[in-house]
Structure formats: C-alpha cells, structure tokens
Amino acid sequence: MDPNILHNIGYGMYIASSNKGEAINGQIANTAFQITSEPVTIAVSINKKNLTHEFIEASLCFSLSILLEDTPLSFIGRFGFRSGREENKFKDIKFERLASGCPVVLDHCIGYLEAKVINKLDCGTHTLFIGEMTESKVLRSGKPLTYDYYHQVKRGTTPKTAPTFIKGEEDIRSGDRKTQKYRCTVCNYIYDPANGDPDSGIQPGTAFEDIPDNWKCPICGVAKDKFVKET
Ligand code: FE
C-alpha cells in the first residue's frame, strides 16, 4: 500500500462547531461533504477525543463554517491545534449563535451551514455524523480554502487527531542558513525561509535565526525555542 495516494483525495477546510448548553466549541475539519440534496444532508468526521465530538453528541447539532483561501494560518491554528478544554476559541472573534444555540464563525468564512444529526457511524477513532441541513447563509464571495492549498501553498500541517494525518509525513531537506527549515515540536509546522511567514510580517528569504525572538508559531502559538532544525 502507498499512503501517498491519500494526498490525492480532495477536501475543503471548515470550522466544525457545536454546543453543550451554553458552552460552545469549534475545530478545524476537512472531512465534511454533502451526501444528498433532497433533503440536504451533510456528513462530518470528528475525532472522539475532541471536545467538539462531546458537544455534537450532547446537542445533536453541528455547524460548518467554510473558510476562505486567504485565511491566516494563525486563525486556522486557533481552531486546529488547541483544545477548547483549555481555552475559549471564540474569544475575540466574530461569531453568532443560531436559534438552536449552535455557534457559527463569521470571520474569514464564505458562509456557514447548520445541521441536525439524524444518524452517526462509529468509525473507531472517529465518528461520522450525518445531519440534515437546518440553516445556511452566504456571508461573502471568495474562493473556499482547500486542504491541498493549505498544505502546498500555506505550508499548513495536520494535527495527529485529524482523520487525514499520515504517520511519518514530513518534508525533509537540508541546506544552509537561508534554506534551513525549522520544525515546531508542538504542531509540526515547518518554517521555510523561502516562504517566510508573511501573515506575521516575516518576509520570504528570512533565515530562522533572523526572525525576532517574540515571533510565535503561526499555527499553535508557541515561542521560537520550541522549534528544532529540520534534518
Ligand atoms: Fe506550532
């Protein structure tokens, strides 16, 4: 078997959200898709360890906010590499709670849909939730972010709890200072001097050593000292 074939399955990038009473949470999900059109049914795969899983089980409701292609990595990191058990991911961002209580993210999103769970499938580490669409709204026009674009262009990484995480997947290359990549030991984000980190004002061509000390991992937010040389 060649796991590389899995990189050729196309996905979008979404924030899947839910609530448990007053508590709300959301997470990055790429495995979401429409199943039928009459009625509109939607599926999303969620890791059983995630807080969003617990919330969907409780409210039987989930929403998907569809991310824009130019969403900053830090915004994706807020929802992708942190746990709602430790912090409120919705702090300081624009969101709204629908009539059901389920939250939807408004920043960096083309729009959202909400679904009521009508069925679910136990898939071992994950549950595939199937929902009938109950609400939806287009907020702005734009290109939706794809999983491929996130990896190839934005150099985003995949947390270990994602359905599409592939063990041992890394971009390994060596070189001098200006080409030496560094890897975040927390989230596996790779800093590549060729790309810099424009979202944080680090221009392409900046060696890792030349990045200011107050720079933070654009995905998980840890400091520079949590990075190691990529060999
Ligand atoms: Fe990181």
Side-chain angles (χ1 to χ4, degrees):
M1 285 205 292
D2 181 356
N4 285 313
I5 194 66
L6 301 173
H7 291 300
N8 297 288
I9 299 176
Y11 304 97
M13 290 282 284
Y14 314 96
I15 299 172
S17 306
S18 190
N19 70 298
K20 187 176 185 177
E22 283 310 299
I24 56 174
N25 195 52
Q27 63 157 78
I28 296 292
N30 63 292
T31 42
F33 55 94
Q34 181 179 354
I35 309 168
T36 59
S37 52
E38 283 180 33
V40 175
T41 53
I42 304 282
V44 64
S45 171
I46 302 285
N47 192 299
K48 289 178 183 172
K49 290 180 186 160
N50 293 356
L51 186 61
T52 305
H53 189 281
E54 183 187 323
F55 284 15
I56 298 174
E57 290 272 14
S59 66
L60 295 178
C61 206
F62 65 85
S63 71
L64 296 172
S65 297
I66 301 172
L67 290 165
L68 277 160
E69 195 174 82
D70 64 2
T71 303
L73 276 177
S74 56
F75 192 79
I76 297 170
R78 161 197 283 262
F79 285 97
F81 285 90
R82 298 174 200 191
S83 172
R85 292 186 181 92
E86 276 128 46
E87 61 183 278
N88 174 11
K89 298 186 188 182
F90 289 86
K91 190 173 177 267
D92 303 326
I93 68 154
K94 271 199 210 122
F95 71 97
E96 150 183 342
R97 295 190 75 159
L98 304 178
S100 66
C102 187
V104 290
V105 175
L106 306 178
D107 284 332
H108 304 294
C109 287
I110 291 173
Y112 60 78
L113 62 89
E114 182 206 46
K116 175 174 63 101
V117 174
I118 53 169
N119 216 330
K120 60 179 183 175
L121 185 63
D122 187 330
C123 302
T125 55
H126 290 67
T127 300
L128 187 71
F129 290 103
I130 296 165
E132 190 173 317
M133 192 161 84
T134 41
E135 278 209 48
S136 61
K137 189 172 189 177
V138 175
L139 299 165
R140 52 181 75 86
S141 60
K143 265 181 107 171
L145 176 61
T146 67
Y147 193 59
D148 184 59
Y149 186 90
Y150 169 67
H151 276 278
Q152 302 303 324
V153 181
K154 297 182 88 73
R155 308 299 300 160
T157 62
T158 307
K160 288 189 173 67
T161 52
T164 45
F165 177 78
I166 297 173
K167 248 187 183 165
E169 171 195 71
E170 254 157 336
D171 187 8
I172 298 168
R173 249 175 262 158
S174 59
D176 66 3
R177 220 171 146 270
K178 286 278 183 191
T179 57
Q180 177 63 54
K181 296 175 185 177
Y182 277 76
R183 180 172 54 83
C184 174
T185 53
V186 175
C187 75
N188 284 322
Y189 164 78
I190 307 273
Y191 176 79
D192 183 347
N195 302 324
D197 177 16
D199 286 346
S200 308
I202 310 297
Q203 295 311 309
T206 307
F208 185 78
E209 292 81 353
D210 299 334
I211 300 174
D213 287 337
N214 61 1
W215 178 79
K216 298 260 186 336
C217 173
I219 298 206
C220 73
V222 298
K224 251 183 107 174
D225 62 3
K226 293 287 190 298
F227 278 70
V228 293
K229 250 185 198 172
E230 184 66 356
T231 50

